Amino acid sequence: MTSNDLDHTATPGAAGTPSRTGKASSHGKTILIGEHAVVYGAPALVLPVLDARVLATVTPVPAGGTDAPGHRLESAVHTGPLDLAPAAVMPTVTAVTATLDHFGVTDRHFHVRVDSEVPTARGMGSSAAVAAAVTAAVADALGETLDDETHHDLIQACERVAHGRPSGLDARGVVADAPVWFEGGRIEPVELGSSFTFVVADSGVPGHTREAVAAVRERHDADPSSVDVVIDRIGALAVRARGTLVDGDAQGLGATMDAAHDLLVALDVSSDDLDRLVGAARGADALGAKLTGGGRGGCVLALATDDEHADRIAAAFRGAGAAATWTTTIGARA
């Protein structure tokens, strides 16, 4: 749910014509059901985390000003000239340059500020969320609007810098306002029968997705039939979970989440930190709780009955050592 509907400030442009400060926002995402199984062709559900926000502000740099020429970045990772940015923010650099290239702009310079609440290396789509906000904000500063597919293509260009061969799950999830179904390369939004309230907890430990994926692959190569059984069950849970979302069945969704976590434990992609947080959520009467993302660190996702219940689950998460929590409600409230 990237937004350009934010206040703008007019500033002198390089040619003396008015230019405006561009602003746009995006949010984090997480996997509801289907991690690891999706690698083997099973479907997956992606959940937007609407309360973990990224805001990008893009301000034109006047020609002949006191600042050195060129783009500048202001972020938690790097503040300074864009052309001196470290490798960690190259996806953000790509977000600026690719958007300008798309519009054929070569003679404008910008000060790009990124304020992000989405932690890195936690499976919440940090690089995609920043790319979504920055690309839209640069377009906004140029007085342009990106259509959905162009925006997706630009985010994917940034994701290729960050991850090599991105599936597109993150790029879709960080701009969606409802769960996204991913199957066989096909991506579509999921209708909701009611509102659902989730709590995401950051374990404080970076996820080790590549390590976990490689470990599952090694197990699959050694014993494909046993691993395929688990993969098929996770895929079936994703199908069931989609049905519960459409039906507005929170109890049913929670049960699929619990079952999915047990299967991910069987694949050996959980950890003591994640299992402790899942136990804390279940101790707070969460409807369901599971690790989310690649595992071996990262985050846990829990389903609450309402906002008050979500507060209790969040407190339980923090009591069990969570570094941060986010509560997000999707779907129209009754």
PDB file of all heavy atoms in Angstrom, residues 36-78:
ATOM      1  N   HIS A  36       9.555 -22.301   2.832  1.00  0.00           N
ATOM      2  CA  HIS A  36      10.319 -23.496   2.453  1.00  0.00           C
ATOM      3  C   HIS A  36       9.563 -24.360   1.455  1.00  0.00           C
ATOM      4  O   HIS A  36      10.151 -24.761   0.436  1.00  0.00           O
ATOM      5  CB  HIS A  36      10.752 -24.304   3.687  1.00  0.00           C
ATOM      6  CG  HIS A  36      11.830 -23.622   4.460  1.00  0.00           C
ATOM      7  ND1 HIS A  36      13.136 -23.600   4.037  1.00  0.00           N
ATOM      8  CD2 HIS A  36      11.787 -22.891   5.595  1.00  0.00           C
ATOM      9  CE1 HIS A  36      13.862 -22.899   4.891  1.00  0.00           C
ATOM     10  NE2 HIS A  36      13.060 -22.439   5.843  1.00  0.00           N
ATOM     11  N   ALA A  37       8.303 -24.658   1.698  1.00  0.00           N
ATOM     12  CA  ALA A  37       7.565 -25.460   0.734  1.00  0.00           C
ATOM     13  C   ALA A  37       7.464 -24.757  -0.614  1.00  0.00           C
ATOM     14  O   ALA A  37       7.455 -25.412  -1.661  1.00  0.00           O
ATOM     15  CB  ALA A  37       6.166 -25.765   1.279  1.00  0.00           C
ATOM     16  N   VAL A  38       7.410 -23.415  -0.596  1.00  0.00           N
ATOM     17  CA  VAL A  38       7.287 -22.666  -1.842  1.00  0.00           C
ATOM     18  C   VAL A  38       8.488 -22.897  -2.747  1.00  0.00           C
ATOM     19  O   VAL A  38       8.385 -22.819  -3.979  1.00  0.00           O
ATOM     20  CB  VAL A  38       7.080 -21.158  -1.536  1.00  0.00           C
ATOM     21  CG1 VAL A  38       8.365 -20.521  -1.019  1.00  0.00           C
ATOM     22  CG2 VAL A  38       6.557 -20.414  -2.755  1.00  0.00           C
ATOM     23  N   VAL A  39       9.640 -23.194  -2.167  1.00  0.00           N
ATOM     24  CA  VAL A  39      10.843 -23.481  -2.952  1.00  0.00           C
ATOM     25  C   VAL A  39      10.633 -24.707  -3.832  1.00  0.00           C
ATOM     26  O   VAL A  39      11.229 -24.837  -4.903  1.00  0.00           O
ATOM     27  CB  VAL A  39      12.053 -23.689  -2.020  1.00  0.00           C
ATOM     28  CG1 VAL A  39      13.299 -24.091  -2.804  1.00  0.00           C
ATOM     29  CG2 VAL A  39      12.316 -22.431  -1.199  1.00  0.00           C
ATOM     30  N   TYR A  40       9.760 -25.614  -3.397  1.00  0.00           N
ATOM     31  CA  TYR A  40       9.504 -26.864  -4.113  1.00  0.00           C
ATOM     32  C   TYR A  40       8.195 -26.823  -4.906  1.00  0.00           C
ATOM     33  O   TYR A  40       7.661 -27.859  -5.290  1.00  0.00           O
ATOM     34  CB  TYR A  40       9.504 -28.026  -3.121  1.00  0.00           C
ATOM     35  CG  TYR A  40      10.840 -28.198  -2.440  1.00  0.00           C
ATOM     36  CD1 TYR A  40      11.145 -27.452  -1.296  1.00  0.00           C
ATOM     37  CD2 TYR A  40      11.813 -29.037  -2.965  1.00  0.00           C
ATOM     38  CE1 TYR A  40      12.382 -27.573  -0.675  1.00  0.00           C
ATOM     39  CE2 TYR A  40      13.056 -29.154  -2.351  1.00  0.00           C
ATOM     40  CZ  TYR A  40      13.341 -28.416  -1.211  1.00  0.00           C
ATOM     41  OH  TYR A  40      14.572 -28.521  -0.607  1.00  0.00           O
ATOM     42  N   GLY A  41       7.687 -25.619  -5.146  1.00  0.00           N
ATOM     43  CA  GLY A  41       6.509 -25.457  -5.988  1.00  0.00           C
ATOM     44  C   GLY A  41       5.191 -25.413  -5.259  1.00  0.00           C
ATOM     45  O   GLY A  41       4.135 -25.284  -5.895  1.00  0.00           O
ATOM     46  N   ALA A  42       5.205 -25.528  -3.938  1.00  0.00           N
ATOM     47  CA  ALA A  42       3.965 -25.441  -3.169  1.00  0.00           C
ATOM     48  C   ALA A  42       3.510 -23.985  -3.095  1.00  0.00           C
ATOM     49  O   ALA A  42       4.314 -23.062  -3.245  1.00  0.00           O
ATOM     50  CB  ALA A  42       4.163 -26.001  -1.768  1.00  0.00           C
ATOM     51  N   PRO A  43       2.219 -23.735  -2.852  1.00  0.00           N
ATOM     52  CA  PRO A  43       1.733 -22.351  -2.756  1.00  0.00           C
ATOM     53  C   PRO A  43       2.135 -21.723  -1.428  1.00  0.00           C
ATOM     54  O   PRO A  43       2.511 -22.404  -0.468  1.00  0.00           O
ATOM     55  CB  PRO A  43       0.212 -22.508  -2.853  1.00  0.00           C
ATOM     56  CG  PRO A  43      -0.051 -23.885  -2.304  1.00  0.00           C
ATOM     57  CD  PRO A  43       1.126 -24.719  -2.736  1.00  0.00           C
ATOM     58  N   ALA A  44       2.038 -20.391  -1.385  1.00  0.00           N
ATOM     59  CA  ALA A  44       2.352 -19.650  -0.162  1.00  0.00           C
ATOM     60  C   ALA A  44       1.429 -18.454  -0.052  1.00  0.00           C
ATOM     61  O   ALA A  44       0.937 -17.917  -1.057  1.00  0.00           O
ATOM     62  CB  ALA A  44       3.804 -19.191  -0.161  1.00  0.00           C
ATOM     63  N   LEU A  45       1.196 -18.039   1.194  1.00  0.00           N
ATOM     64  CA  LEU A  45       0.421 -16.836   1.485  1.00  0.00           C
ATOM     65  C   LEU A  45       1.343 -15.796   2.104  1.00  0.00           C
ATOM     66  O   LEU A  45       2.038 -16.077   3.084  1.00  0.00           O
ATOM     67  CB  LEU A  45      -0.712 -17.153   2.463  1.00  0.00           C
ATOM     68  CG  LEU A  45      -1.994 -17.750   1.880  1.00  0.00           C
ATOM     69  CD1 LEU A  45      -2.832 -18.352   2.993  1.00  0.00           C
ATOM     70  CD2 LEU A  45      -2.779 -16.686   1.127  1.00  0.00           C
ATOM     71  N   VAL A  46       1.337 -14.601   1.532  1.00  0.00           N
ATOM     72  CA  VAL A  46       2.156 -13.490   2.029  1.00  0.00           C
ATOM     73  C   VAL A  46       1.256 -12.503   2.750  1.00  0.00           C
ATOM     74  O   VAL A  46       0.194 -12.125   2.230  1.00  0.00           O
ATOM     75  CB  VAL A  46       2.889 -12.792   0.874  1.00  0.00           C
ATOM     76  CG1 VAL A  46       3.780 -11.680   1.393  1.00  0.00           C
ATOM     77  CG2 VAL A  46       3.717 -13.801   0.090  1.00  0.00           C
ATOM     78  N   LEU A  47       1.681 -12.083   3.925  1.00  0.00           N
ATOM     79  CA  LEU A  47       0.883 -11.190   4.751  1.00  0.00           C
ATOM     80  C   LEU A  47       1.532  -9.815   4.845  1.00  0.00           C
ATOM     81  O   LEU A  47       2.694  -9.713   5.253  1.00  0.00           O
ATOM     82  CB  LEU A  47       0.746 -11.776   6.159  1.00  0.00           C
ATOM     83  CG  LEU A  47      -0.032 -10.941   7.176  1.00  0.00           C
ATOM     84  CD1 LEU A  47      -1.522 -11.002   6.857  1.00  0.00           C
ATOM     85  CD2 LEU A  47       0.234 -11.448   8.593  1.00  0.00           C
ATOM     86  N   PRO A  48       0.840  -8.738   4.481  1.00  0.00           N
ATOM     87  CA  PRO A  48       1.402  -7.399   4.698  1.00  0.00           C
ATOM     88  C   PRO A  48       1.418  -7.059   6.181  1.00  0.00           C
ATOM     89  O   PRO A  48       0.476  -7.370   6.905  1.00  0.00           O
ATOM     90  CB  PRO A  48       0.447  -6.483   3.923  1.00  0.00           C
ATOM     91  CG  PRO A  48      -0.856  -7.205   3.918  1.00  0.00           C
ATOM     92  CD  PRO A  48      -0.500  -8.674   3.855  1.00  0.00           C
ATOM     93  N   VAL A  49       2.496  -6.436   6.630  1.00  0.00           N
ATOM     94  CA  VAL A  49       2.592  -5.961   8.021  1.00  0.00           C
ATOM     95  C   VAL A  49       2.462  -4.443   7.959  1.00  0.00           C
ATOM     96  O   VAL A  49       3.436  -3.707   7.837  1.00  0.00           O
ATOM     97  CB  VAL A  49       3.910  -6.394   8.676  1.00  0.00           C
ATOM     98  CG1 VAL A  49       3.952  -5.951  10.134  1.00  0.00           C
ATOM     99  CG2 VAL A  49       4.081  -7.908   8.577  1.00  0.00           C
ATOM    100  N   LEU A  50       1.224  -3.987   8.037  1.00  0.00           N
ATOM    101  CA  LEU A  50       0.909  -2.588   7.729  1.00  0.00           C
ATOM    102  C   LEU A  50       1.478  -1.616   8.744  1.00  0.00           C
ATOM    103  O   LEU A  50       1.683  -0.436   8.423  1.00  0.00           O
ATOM    104  CB  LEU A  50      -0.608  -2.417   7.633  1.00  0.00           C
ATOM    105  CG  LEU A  50      -1.327  -3.330   6.631  1.00  0.00           C
ATOM    106  CD1 LEU A  50      -2.834  -3.089   6.678  1.00  0.00           C
ATOM    107  CD2 LEU A  50      -0.811  -3.111   5.223  1.00  0.00           C
ATOM    108  N   ASP A  51       1.746  -2.077   9.967  1.00  0.00           N
ATOM    109  CA  ASP A  51       2.211  -1.178  11.017  1.00  0.00           C
ATOM    110  C   ASP A  51       3.730  -1.046  11.075  1.00  0.00           C
ATOM    111  O   ASP A  51       4.249  -0.271  11.871  1.00  0.00           O
ATOM    112  CB  ASP A  51       1.689  -1.641  12.381  1.00  0.00           C
ATOM    113  CG  ASP A  51       0.208  -1.352  12.563  1.00  0.00           C
ATOM    114  OD1 ASP A  51      -0.541  -1.597  11.606  1.00  0.00           O
ATOM    115  OD2 ASP A  51      -0.196  -0.898  13.637  1.00  0.00           O
ATOM    116  N   ALA A  52       4.454  -1.793  10.263  1.00  0.00           N
ATOM    117  CA  ALA A  52       5.909  -1.626  10.148  1.00  0.00           C
ATOM    118  C   ALA A  52       6.164  -0.814   8.880  1.00  0.00           C
ATOM    119  O   ALA A  52       6.167  -1.341   7.775  1.00  0.00           O
ATOM    120  CB  ALA A  52       6.601  -2.982  10.071  1.00  0.00           C
ATOM    121  N   ARG A  53       6.350   0.492   9.048  1.00  0.00           N
ATOM    122  CA  ARG A  53       6.311   1.428   7.927  1.00  0.00           C
ATOM    123  C   ARG A  53       7.689   1.841   7.440  1.00  0.00           C
ATOM    124  O   ARG A  53       8.660   1.861   8.196  1.00  0.00           O
ATOM    125  CB  ARG A  53       5.551   2.697   8.331  1.00  0.00           C
ATOM    126  CG  ARG A  53       4.180   2.473   8.921  1.00  0.00           C
ATOM    127  CD  ARG A  53       3.198   1.937   7.907  1.00  0.00           C
ATOM    128  NE  ARG A  53       2.934   2.874   6.833  1.00  0.00           N
ATOM    129  CZ  ARG A  53       2.224   2.581   5.730  1.00  0.00           C
ATOM    130  NH1 ARG A  53       1.735   1.363   5.579  1.00  0.00           N
ATOM    131  NH2 ARG A  53       2.011   3.477   4.809  1.00  0.00           N
ATOM    132  N   VAL A  54       7.733   2.194   6.173  1.00  0.00           N
ATOM    133  CA  VAL A  54       8.890   2.864   5.573  1.00  0.00           C
ATOM    134  C   VAL A  54       8.389   4.145   4.926  1.00  0.00           C
ATOM    135  O   VAL A  54       7.412   4.122   4.166  1.00  0.00           O
ATOM    136  CB  VAL A  54       9.584   1.993   4.514  1.00  0.00           C
ATOM    137  CG1 VAL A  54      10.728   2.768   3.850  1.00  0.00           C
ATOM    138  CG2 VAL A  54      10.114   0.710   5.128  1.00  0.00           C
ATOM    139  N   LEU A  55       9.038   5.255   5.229  1.00  0.00           N
ATOM    140  CA  LEU A  55       8.711   6.540   4.610  1.00  0.00           C
ATOM    141  C   LEU A  55       9.943   7.055   3.883  1.00  0.00           C
ATOM    142  O   LEU A  55      11.026   7.136   4.461  1.00  0.00           O
ATOM    143  CB  LEU A  55       8.268   7.569   5.653  1.00  0.00           C
ATOM    144  CG  LEU A  55       8.039   8.996   5.140  1.00  0.00           C
ATOM    145  CD1 LEU A  55       6.874   9.036   4.149  1.00  0.00           C
ATOM    146  CD2 LEU A  55       7.770   9.964   6.294  1.00  0.00           C
ATOM    147  N   ALA A  56       9.782   7.378   2.623  1.00  0.00           N
ATOM    148  CA  ALA A  56      10.856   7.975   1.826  1.00  0.00           C
ATOM    149  C   ALA A  56      10.485   9.407   1.480  1.00  0.00           C
ATOM    150  O   ALA A  56       9.361   9.682   1.046  1.00  0.00           O
ATOM    151  CB  ALA A  56      11.097   7.174   0.550  1.00  0.00           C
ATOM    152  N   THR A  57      11.434  10.322   1.672  1.00  0.00           N
ATOM    153  CA  THR A  57      11.253  11.732   1.345  1.00  0.00           C
ATOM    154  C   THR A  57      12.368  12.131   0.386  1.00  0.00           C
ATOM    155  O   THR A  57      13.549  11.951   0.693  1.00  0.00           O
ATOM    156  CB  THR A  57      11.324  12.606   2.609  1.00  0.00           C
ATOM    157  OG1 THR A  57      10.394  12.109   3.575  1.00  0.00           O
ATOM    158  CG2 THR A  57      10.976  14.052   2.285  1.00  0.00           C
ATOM    159  N   VAL A  58      11.997  12.655  -0.755  1.00  0.00           N
ATOM    160  CA  VAL A  58      12.951  12.978  -1.808  1.00  0.00           C
ATOM    161  C   VAL A  58      12.864  14.470  -2.110  1.00  0.00           C
ATOM    162  O   VAL A  58      11.837  14.950  -2.596  1.00  0.00           O
ATOM    163  CB  VAL A  58      12.682  12.148  -3.081  1.00  0.00           C
ATOM    164  CG1 VAL A  58      13.621  12.555  -4.212  1.00  0.00           C
ATOM    165  CG2 VAL A  58      12.826  10.664  -2.778  1.00  0.00           C
ATOM    166  N   THR A  59      13.929  15.200  -1.804  1.00  0.00           N
ATOM    167  CA  THR A  59      13.945  16.648  -1.944  1.00  0.00           C
ATOM    168  C   THR A  59      14.897  17.060  -3.055  1.00  0.00           C
ATOM    169  O   THR A  59      16.077  16.661  -3.047  1.00  0.00           O
ATOM    170  CB  THR A  59      14.401  17.317  -0.633  1.00  0.00           C
ATOM    171  OG1 THR A  59      13.584  16.840   0.441  1.00  0.00           O
ATOM    172  CG2 THR A  59      14.301  18.829  -0.733  1.00  0.00           C
ATOM    173  N   PRO A  60      14.441  17.849  -4.030  1.00  0.00           N
ATOM    174  CA  PRO A  60      15.351  18.310  -5.089  1.00  0.00           C
ATOM    175  C   PRO A  60      16.488  19.152  -4.518  1.00  0.00           C
ATOM    176  O   PRO A  60      16.289  19.957  -3.603  1.00  0.00           O
ATOM    177  CB  PRO A  60      14.444  19.148  -5.990  1.00  0.00           C
ATOM    178  CG  PRO A  60      13.056  18.691  -5.691  1.00  0.00           C
ATOM    179  CD  PRO A  60      13.055  18.321  -4.246  1.00  0.00           C
ATOM    180  N   VAL A  61      17.671  18.953  -5.041  1.00  0.00           N
ATOM    181  CA  VAL A  61      18.835  19.755  -4.674  1.00  0.00           C
ATOM    182  C   VAL A  61      18.976  20.863  -5.710  1.00  0.00           C
ATOM    183  O   VAL A  61      19.198  20.582  -6.886  1.00  0.00           O
ATOM    184  CB  VAL A  61      20.116  18.911  -4.629  1.00  0.00           C
ATOM    185  CG1 VAL A  61      21.330  19.783  -4.331  1.00  0.00           C
ATOM    186  CG2 VAL A  61      19.982  17.805  -3.591  1.00  0.00           C
ATOM    187  N   PRO A  62      18.834  22.147  -5.307  1.00  0.00           N
ATOM    188  CA  PRO A  62      18.908  23.237  -6.280  1.00  0.00           C
ATOM    189  C   PRO A  62      20.283  23.299  -6.944  1.00  0.00           C
ATOM    190  O   PRO A  62      21.313  23.064  -6.310  1.00  0.00           O
ATOM    191  CB  PRO A  62      18.660  24.497  -5.432  1.00  0.00           C
ATOM    192  CG  PRO A  62      17.990  24.002  -4.191  1.00  0.00           C
ATOM    193  CD  PRO A  62      18.556  22.640  -3.950  1.00  0.00           C
ATOM    194  N   ALA A  63      20.303  23.624  -8.235  1.00  0.00           N
ATOM    195  CA  ALA A  63      21.562  23.799  -8.950  1.00  0.00           C
ATOM    196  C   ALA A  63      22.294  25.014  -8.397  1.00  0.00           C
ATOM    197  O   ALA A  63      21.678  26.030  -8.074  1.00  0.00           O
ATOM    198  CB  ALA A  63      21.303  23.987 -10.444  1.00  0.00           C
ATOM    199  N   GLY A  64      23.605  24.899  -8.258  1.00  0.00           N
ATOM    200  CA  GLY A  64      24.384  26.032  -7.776  1.00  0.00           C
ATOM    201  C   GLY A  64      24.297  26.244  -6.288  1.00  0.00           C
ATOM    202  O   GLY A  64      24.751  27.273  -5.768  1.00  0.00           O
ATOM    203  N   GLY A  65      23.704  25.279  -5.540  1.00  0.00           N
ATOM    204  CA  GLY A  65      23.592  25.423  -4.091  1.00  0.00           C
ATOM    205  C   GLY A  65      24.907  25.123  -3.400  1.00  0.00           C
ATOM    206  O   GLY A  65      25.946  24.880  -4.026  1.00  0.00           O
ATOM    207  N   THR A  66      24.867  25.145  -2.090  1.00  0.00           N
ATOM    208  CA  THR A  66      26.090  24.932  -1.313  1.00  0.00           C
ATOM    209  C   THR A  66      26.461  23.461  -1.227  1.00  0.00           C
ATOM    210  O   THR A  66      27.619  23.134  -0.961  1.00  0.00           O
ATOM    211  CB  THR A  66      25.906  25.487   0.115  1.00  0.00           C
ATOM    212  OG1 THR A  66      24.781  24.857   0.720  1.00  0.00           O
ATOM    213  CG2 THR A  66      25.680  26.987   0.079  1.00  0.00           C
ATOM    214  N   ASP A  67      25.503  22.572  -1.444  1.00  0.00           N
ATOM    215  CA  ASP A  67      25.814  21.148  -1.378  1.00  0.00           C
ATOM    216  C   ASP A  67      26.641  20.719  -2.579  1.00  0.00           C
ATOM    217  O   ASP A  67      26.550  21.297  -3.668  1.00  0.00           O
ATOM    218  CB  ASP A  67      24.525  20.314  -1.357  1.00  0.00           C
ATOM    219  CG  ASP A  67      23.768  20.466  -0.043  1.00  0.00           C
ATOM    220  OD1 ASP A  67      24.388  20.922   0.932  1.00  0.00           O
ATOM    221  OD2 ASP A  67      22.568  20.144  -0.027  1.00  0.00           O
ATOM    222  N   ALA A  68      27.472  19.721  -2.366  1.00  0.00           N
ATOM    223  CA  ALA A  68      28.223  19.160  -3.478  1.00  0.00           C
ATOM    224  C   ALA A  68      27.244  18.547  -4.473  1.00  0.00           C
ATOM    225  O   ALA A  68      26.187  18.042  -4.088  1.00  0.00           O
ATOM    226  CB  ALA A  68      29.184  18.094  -2.967  1.00  0.00           C
ATOM    227  N   PRO A  69      27.562  18.588  -5.779  1.00  0.00           N
ATOM    228  CA  PRO A  69      26.642  18.029  -6.769  1.00  0.00           C
ATOM    229  C   PRO A  69      26.487  16.524  -6.588  1.00  0.00           C
ATOM    230  O   PRO A  69      27.372  15.842  -6.068  1.00  0.00           O
ATOM    231  CB  PRO A  69      27.327  18.359  -8.101  1.00  0.00           C
ATOM    232  CG  PRO A  69      28.770  18.513  -7.764  1.00  0.00           C
ATOM    233  CD  PRO A  69      28.792  19.103  -6.386  1.00  0.00           C
ATOM    234  N   GLY A  70      25.345  16.018  -7.006  1.00  0.00           N
ATOM    235  CA  GLY A  70      25.087  14.593  -6.898  1.00  0.00           C
ATOM    236  C   GLY A  70      23.993  14.302  -5.896  1.00  0.00           C
ATOM    237  O   GLY A  70      23.575  15.164  -5.132  1.00  0.00           O
ATOM    238  N   HIS A  71      23.521  13.064  -5.921  1.00  0.00           N
ATOM    239  CA  HIS A  71      22.474  12.639  -5.005  1.00  0.00           C
ATOM    240  C   HIS A  71      23.066  12.371  -3.626  1.00  0.00           C
ATOM    241  O   HIS A  71      24.207  11.959  -3.489  1.00  0.00           O
ATOM    242  CB  HIS A  71      21.815  11.359  -5.519  1.00  0.00           C
ATOM    243  CG  HIS A  71      21.277  11.460  -6.903  1.00  0.00           C
ATOM    244  ND1 HIS A  71      20.220  12.270  -7.226  1.00  0.00           N
ATOM    245  CD2 HIS A  71      21.657  10.856  -8.058  1.00  0.00           C
ATOM    246  CE1 HIS A  71      19.956  12.155  -8.520  1.00  0.00           C
ATOM    247  NE2 HIS A  71      20.819  11.294  -9.046  1.00  0.00           N
ATOM    248  N   ARG A  72      22.240  12.593  -2.600  1.00  0.00           N
ATOM    249  CA  ARG A  72      22.652  12.291  -1.236  1.00  0.00           C
ATOM    250  C   ARG A  72      21.593  11.398  -0.583  1.00  0.00           C
ATOM    251  O   ARG A  72      20.398  11.510  -0.884  1.00  0.00           O
ATOM    252  CB  ARG A  72      22.827  13.578  -0.417  1.00  0.00           C
ATOM    253  CG  ARG A  72      24.005  14.426  -0.861  1.00  0.00           C
ATOM    254  CD  ARG A  72      24.190  15.625   0.066  1.00  0.00           C
ATOM    255  NE  ARG A  72      24.493  15.240   1.439  1.00  0.00           N
ATOM    256  CZ  ARG A  72      25.708  14.906   1.869  1.00  0.00           C
ATOM    257  NH1 ARG A  72      26.731  14.904   1.039  1.00  0.00           N
ATOM    258  NH2 ARG A  72      25.905  14.588   3.138  1.00  0.00           N
ATOM    259  N   LEU A  73      22.061  10.534   0.296  1.00  0.00           N
ATOM    260  CA  LEU A  73      21.178   9.632   1.010  1.00  0.00           C
ATOM    261  C   LEU A  73      21.303   9.880   2.505  1.00  0.00           C
ATOM    262  O   LEU A  73      22.405  10.054   3.031  1.00  0.00           O
ATOM    263  CB  LEU A  73      21.550   8.168   0.713  1.00  0.00           C
ATOM    264  CG  LEU A  73      20.784   7.086   1.484  1.00  0.00           C
ATOM    265  CD1 LEU A  73      19.301   7.112   1.135  1.00  0.00           C
ATOM    266  CD2 LEU A  73      21.378   5.699   1.213  1.00  0.00           C
ATOM    267  N   GLU A  74      20.157   9.884   3.186  1.00  0.00           N
ATOM    268  CA  GLU A  74      20.121   9.999   4.641  1.00  0.00           C
ATOM    269  C   GLU A  74      19.311   8.815   5.164  1.00  0.00           C
ATOM    270  O   GLU A  74      18.100   8.735   4.947  1.00  0.00           O
ATOM    271  CB  GLU A  74      19.472  11.319   5.049  1.00  0.00           C
ATOM    272  CG  GLU A  74      19.390  11.546   6.547  1.00  0.00           C
ATOM    273  CD  GLU A  74      18.685  12.843   6.909  1.00  0.00           C
ATOM    274  OE1 GLU A  74      18.403  13.650   5.997  1.00  0.00           O
ATOM    275  OE2 GLU A  74      18.400  13.039   8.101  1.00  0.00           O
ATOM    276  N   SER A  75      20.010   7.899   5.828  1.00  0.00           N
ATOM    277  CA  SER A  75      19.334   6.705   6.338  1.00  0.00           C
ATOM    278  C   SER A  75      20.100   6.173   7.532  1.00  0.00           C
ATOM    279  O   SER A  75      21.194   6.652   7.862  1.00  0.00           O
ATOM    280  CB  SER A  75      19.258   5.622   5.255  1.00  0.00           C
ATOM    281  OG  SER A  75      20.534   5.040   5.027  1.00  0.00           O
ATOM    282  N   ALA A  76      19.535   5.173   8.168  1.00  0.00           N
ATOM    283  CA  ALA A  76      20.196   4.578   9.332  1.00  0.00           C
ATOM    284  C   ALA A  76      21.470   3.842   8.954  1.00  0.00           C
ATOM    285  O   ALA A  76      22.369   3.674   9.781  1.00  0.00           O
ATOM    286  CB  ALA A  76      19.236   3.618  10.041  1.00  0.00           C
ATOM    287  N   VAL A  77      21.578   3.429   7.692  1.00  0.00           N
ATOM    288  CA  VAL A  77      22.738   2.665   7.241  1.00  0.00           C
ATOM    289  C   VAL A  77      23.834   3.556   6.683  1.00  0.00           C
ATOM    290  O   VAL A  77      25.022   3.328   6.913  1.00  0.00           O
ATOM    291  CB  VAL A  77      22.322   1.622   6.185  1.00  0.00           C
ATOM    292  CG1 VAL A  77      23.521   0.824   5.682  1.00  0.00           C
ATOM    293  CG2 VAL A  77      21.269   0.685   6.763  1.00  0.00           C
ATOM    294  N   HIS A  78      23.438   4.591   5.961  1.00  0.00           N
ATOM    295  CA  HIS A  78      24.420   5.472   5.319  1.00  0.00           C
ATOM    296  C   HIS A  78      23.842   6.866   5.185  1.00  0.00           C
ATOM    297  O   HIS A  78      22.701   7.046   4.774  1.00  0.00           O
ATOM    298  CB  HIS A  78      24.790   4.935   3.925  1.00  0.00           C
ATOM    299  CG  HIS A  78      25.614   5.879   3.117  1.00  0.00           C
ATOM    300  ND1 HIS A  78      26.957   6.082   3.345  1.00  0.00           N
ATOM    301  CD2 HIS A  78      25.291   6.692   2.067  1.00  0.00           C
ATOM    302  CE1 HIS A  78      27.431   6.968   2.479  1.00  0.00           C
ATOM    303  NE2 HIS A  78      26.440   7.347   1.701  1.00  0.00           N
TER     304      HIS A  78
END
